[in-house]
Amino acid sequence: KEGELMEGGETHTADVRVDYQGDPILNLEEDLGTVTWGHQFRQAMNVNGGGPLEEQTITDCVLHFLSIGWKLLAAFIPPPHLLGGWACFSVALCMVGFTTAIIGDLA
């Protein structure tokens, strides 16, 4: 089967498989090549990643405000298609180490 994903007004198609319990499994391997740094920052700046305004609650807005710093920090991680995913993996691993060091110092 083929399914559609809606992200910030953009439609992405993905192959949908069903596991043995009947839950859908999305194959997003083809979609990962379309993500850009600009797309990551737009998703970080929007509540619910830019979903429809009708679906956003006040709780979503408050939590978005409280976590926007972390979202922007994570948006600096390179998109997965660069260097075969190694840039994304390496920078994400460094960010995990950085975050662990900061939290460890605060504790």
Side-chain angles (χ1 to χ4, degrees):
K1 288 196 257 182
E2 190 172 285
E4 291 186 358
L5 302 173
M6 294 294 293
E7 283 186 17
E10 300 175 14
T11 303
H12 301 280
T13 59
D15 294 330
V16 178
R17 293 178 292 149
V18 177
D19 68 3
Y20 68 94
Q21 294 177 340
D23 296 327
I25 302 172
L26 297 178
N27 180 9
L28 298 177
E29 292 174 3
E30 296 171 3
D31 272 349
L32 293 179
T34 62
V35 177
T36 64
W37 256 309
H39 185 253
Q40 290 178 179
F41 278 99
R42 279 192 301 276
Q43 278 192 311
M45 295 295 291
N46 291 319
V47 179
N48 288 341
L53 292 175
E54 300 84 31
E55 295 178 11
Q56 297 172 2
T57 64
I58 190 70
T59 305
D60 292 333
C61 295
V62 169
L63 291 175
H64 173 73
F65 175 75
L66 293 175
S67 64
I68 193 159
W70 293 107
K71 290 179 179 187
L72 290 174
L73 185 65
F76 280 102
I77 297 173
H81 63 86
L82 295 178
L83 300 176
W86 284 104
C88 177
F89 173 76
S90 301
V91 174
L93 190 62
C94 290
M95 291 233 180
V96 168
F98 172 74
T99 304
T100 304
I102 296 294
I103 292 174
D105 286 343
L106 293 175

